[in-house]
Each structure stands twice: as structure tokens, then as C-alpha cells.
Amino acid sequence: MNRTNQSTIIKEAINSYLDKGVTDKQDIYTKVVDELGVPRPTVRRVARDLRTELLQKIQILQSDMPKTAATPDDDEQQP
């Protein structure tokens, strides 16, 4: 199994356990290792990658609308 495919399968397994309501990180890691037979460090690496991806998406969704340089902010308009 190549690394990209393996990572995708591990991410899907992690998400599956999260969707099922499993909230203990170590429990999720153990279940994924048992289910897929992959090494625990691999699951931890993929989980870190998944966290990073999700945090980036959250930051995008939490950010304000992009501002153009030529247009002043609404609350900074000149009288």
C-alpha cells in the first residue's frame, strides 16, 4: 500500500471512530492500529496531518472576508 493511499485509509478510519463518538485519542489510535494493522507511529503521524488540515480549514472559515487594498473598511470610511 503506498503512503498516500495508506494515509487516506487511516484518515477515513480516524474520522469513522470520531463519527461513532469515540473521544479518547489513544483509544482511536489503538482501534485504527488493530483494524488496519498499521504501526502506531504511522497512525499518529497521519492523525497529526489530519489535525493540521482541519485547523487550516477552520482558520479559513473563521477569517474575515478578504479586504482589497483600494477599498477602506466600512467603519474606517472618510466623512
Side-chain angles (χ1 to χ4, degrees):
M1 187 173 352
N2 67 36
R3 182 175 172 175
T4 303
N5 189 35
Q6 183 182 46
S7 294
T8 302
I9 291 168
I10 293 171
K11 286 177 188 177
E12 289 172 357
I14 291 170
N15 279 317
S16 172
Y17 285 113
L18 289 169
D19 291 343
K20 291 176 185 175
V22 180
T23 57
D24 182 68
K25 178 172 65 172
Q26 298 305 320
D27 194 23
I28 292 171
Y29 292 171
T30 300
K31 289 177 184 225
V32 172
V33 167
D34 292 344
E35 178 184 332
L36 300 178
V38 294
R40 191 176 191 88
T42 302
V43 174
R44 291 176 58 220
R45 178 189 52 79
V46 172
R48 183 193 65 221
D49 294 346
L50 179 59
R51 278 192 302 273
T52 302
E53 291 171 14
L54 292 173
L55 286 171
Q56 288 172 345
K57 290 178 182 180
I58 289 168
Q59 287 175 345
I60 290 168
L61 293 174
Q62 288 180 332
S63 66
D64 293 334
M65 294 293 290
K67 299 174 184 174
T68 58
T71 308
D73 291 341
D74 291 337
D75 55 346
E76 295 179 6
Q77 289 180 352
Q78 301 299 322

